[in-house]
Structures are given as structure tokens and as C-alpha cells.
Amino acid sequence: RTTATIYMLTGISIGTIMVTSSNSWMLAWLGLELNSFAILPLISKTKHPRSIEAATKYFLTQSTASCLILFASTINAWQTGTWTITQMPDKLPSTLMLIALTMKMGAAPMHLWLPEVMQGTTLLTSLLISTWQKIAPMVLIFTTSNHLPSNITLMMGLLSTYLGGWGGMNQTHLRKMMAFSSIANMGWTLMTLTSEPKVSMINIMTYMLLTTPTFILLAQTSTKTLQDMTTMWTTSPTSSITLTFLLLSMAGLPPLTGFMPKLLILNELISQNMTAISVATTMASLLSLIFYLRISYLTSLLNTPSSSTSTTKWRQNMNNLKMTQMAPTAVMSTTALPTLYP
């Protein structure tokens, strides 16, 4: 099982490297296909009907997106005579490519597969889907950002922020809640993609920095629902406080790290004379703030250390690889704002 997991992770890494280093749509398409097929065994490895369903949904969605990518790149090659990624002047292939890549990343309105897939797999595989699997399509979007239709990109970004916030408020399962958080964050990423793509890349990288220790901490404590959060303070106060700061950082509250990319995005929108859109995006972030504060309340503010009579369901082993990875990312996720945005 360990050897097979290493093979799958190697395939995922090679696929992402192929996409990021390619200059041709054909090579990028092959890298995306390798990336998608390599993660399917990781999604379905629990041998549960829900995990098989999640793997099937992931396969169908990614296959549809890959077909759109191949179709758009073929139209572009027919019009321009080249398969080069940076040469996409026509609106039709660029719009189709935007739809396909946002479908791969899980942005609205092609987002419905992401909560179901993340709910049907393990926490660490959900971490992989919400972070590493976004790198390859995000690099392609960043490369073609100057050819993408700005109005459609803004509309998809605003829709993602609202649907991500609304969808996460009614959830009790943390994996689905984190999936809607990912959808909302993708909306923030799309807002400045055509005007200032570097800010969008800062936003998505900061989101990956915030999500990694959060998922590792949830996996380490076997926490999957909001009900599990209520006993975390009794069993591990340190984990409870750390998770609270991580969630508030993901919500974008100052002076935590998550506030920095949101401030840069709003600043860019206002500088582009899109004040109304920036206000609408800020109002959408309040929707996400509701369920982040809900989790934080259940984690650290609801129960005192002596209020719970339940038995300890798990013990933490601090001397393993996951905890050593969590420590530096958790620190960067909560205290990097003064160094990144003076």
C-alpha cells in the first residue's frame, strides 16, 4: 500500500511538472491527464461506496474538462497554426479554455463536484485536491491571463465568492465546508486574474499555505464534523488554539496572513475603478466569515477545559512527519503578514 501511494504521488508530481514546464498545449494536456489519473487510486483507496462514487465524479468532471481543453487548443491551433500556450488571440478558444480550467479547479458555476469528491475521500487526499491539484490549471490560466475575457472572469469570480459563502454556511461536515471555502477563495483569485495576475498567484499560494496546516491538524486529531470540534479543547488545547487562528486567517481577518491577499485584491479592484465590484466582493467575504467564526466558536469558545465529560477519543503523536510539516506552515499562516505586506 505504501509503495503504491508513492507511485501515485510520483505520477501526480510528474504531471504537474510537465504542465508547468510545457510550452505546448499537447504536452500540457498530457500532464493534466497524468495528474488526474494518478490521483484516482488515492481517492478510492478506502474501498467504501462513497469513495468509489467520489472517484467516479472526479473522473467524469476532469475528463469533461480535458475534452474542453483539447477542443479549445485544437480550435486555436487551426486558427493560429501553432500549439503554443501563449498564442490564443481569439475569444472562442480563450473562453472555452477558461471554462475548462476553472472546472478543473472547482470554481463556480462548475463547482458542484468539489464538495462531493472531498466529502467522499480522506482528509489528506482532500488536502491534495484542494492544493496541489490546483497548481497545474492555475499555471495555465496565469500563462494565458492576457487573452482571457475579463468580463466573464469577473463574473465567475464574483459568483464563486457568493456561492462558496452560501454553500458553506449550512454544512456540518468539515471537508464539505473546506470545499466551499476553496470555491470562495478561487473566486477571489479570479477577480484580478486579467488585470493583475501576480496578485492572483499570491492569493492562491497564500491559500495553499493556510489550507495545509488546517487539513493536517484535522487529520491528526481525526476531526471530521462540527460535533467533533466541541471536544477538541478538552483533549488538546494547543491544537484548538492553533486551528482557531488558522480558520480566522483563512477568513481574512487582520493582522493574520490571510488578510494580505484580500487587501491586495481589493486595492487592485479599486485602482481599476471597479469600486462596486470590490464592495460586492467584500460583502461576499462576510458569508465565508460566518462559518469560519462558527467553527472557531465551537472549537475554542464554547467549552471550557472542564465542561466536557466525554472520554478522549484519540491521542496525538507529536513525533511524526505530519506534525513536523504542520509547525512551520501554521506559523507562516498566522504571522507572515508583517513580512509580506509592510
Side-chain angles (χ1 to χ4, degrees), residues 171-172 174 177 225-234 240 243-244 247 291-304:
Q171 302 299 327
T172 57
L174 294 177
M177 203 172 292
T225 63
L226 290 179
Q227 185 177 2
D228 296 334
M229 305 290 285
T230 59
T231 59
M232 180 178 288
W233 180 271
T234 306
S240 175
L243 186 60
T244 300
L247 292 171
F291 63 82
Y292 285 127
L293 289 178
R294 181 186 181 192
I295 305 176
S296 303
Y297 176 74
L298 291 175
T299 304
S300 61
L301 301 177
L302 182 63
N303 289 335
T304 60

Side-chain angles (χ1 to χ4, degrees), residues 38-267:
I39 200 175
L40 288 176
L42 296 179
I43 297 176
S44 60
K45 71 176 182 179
T46 55
K47 306 304 180 203
H48 190 273
R50 178 162 289 184
S51 64
I52 303 300
E53 178 186 351
T56 305
K57 290 179 178 178
Y58 186 83
F59 169 73
L60 293 176
T61 307
Q62 299 299 312
S63 298
T64 304
S66 296
C67 289
L68 274 177
I69 290 174
L70 197 59
F71 180 58
S73 59
T74 304
I75 293 177
N76 182 69
W78 176 59
Q79 291 178 340
T80 62
T82 178
W83 290 91
T84 307
I85 293 177
T86 55
Q87 300 296 324
M88 189 172 283
D90 193 72
K91 289 185 177 180
L92 177 60
S94 60
T95 304
L96 289 175
M97 192 62 67
L98 175 65
I99 294 173
L101 293 175
T102 51
M103 182 186 295
K104 276 189 169 294
M105 291 188 297
M110 289 75 63
H111 67 286
L112 296 176
W113 64 272
L114 185 61
E116 299 298 327
V117 170
M118 290 181 64
Q119 177 62 26
T121 185
T122 62
L123 282 166
L124 293 180
T125 308
S126 298
L127 169 64
L128 203 63
I129 294 173
S130 59
T131 54
W132 184 266
Q133 292 296 92
K134 294 181 185 295
I135 294 177
M138 195 63 212
V139 167
L140 292 177
I141 283 186
F142 179 76
T143 307
T144 59
S145 59
N146 57 330
H147 296 300
L148 298 179
S150 58
N151 293 333
I152 297 177
T153 307
L154 281 172
M155 182 183 65
M156 294 175 68
L158 198 60
L159 190 62
S160 296
T161 54
Y162 274 95
L163 290 180
W166 278 325
M169 285 193 295
N170 199 30
Q171 302 299 327
T172 57
H173 292 274
L174 294 177
R175 280 170 293 183
K176 274 194 174 182
M177 203 172 292
M178 295 301 293
F180 282 106
S181 170
S182 174
I183 294 168
N185 186 270
M186 284 308 306
W188 280 89
T189 304
L190 292 174
M191 295 305 294
T192 57
L193 189 62
T194 55
S195 58
E196 189 59 46
K198 293 180 181 179
V199 174
S200 297
M201 294 301 291
I202 291 175
N203 181 71
I204 193 68
M205 293 303 173
T206 306
Y207 171 76
M208 293 178 185
L209 178 68
L210 300 175
T211 306
T212 301
T214 304
F215 270 105
I216 291 176
L217 191 58
L218 293 176
Q220 186 68 21
T221 56
S222 302
T223 305
K224 298 179 181 179
T225 63
L226 290 179
Q227 185 177 2
D228 296 334
M229 305 290 285
T230 59
T231 59
M232 180 178 288
W233 180 271
T234 306
T235 51
S236 180
T238 306
S239 300
S240 175
I241 295 173
T242 305
L243 186 60
T244 300
F245 278 110
L246 289 172
L247 292 171
L248 294 179
S249 182
M250 293 180 70
L253 291 181
L256 302 174
T257 307
F259 173 68
M260 181 265 300
K262 288 181 171 56
L263 178 62
L264 292 176
I265 290 173
L266 293 177
N267 183 41

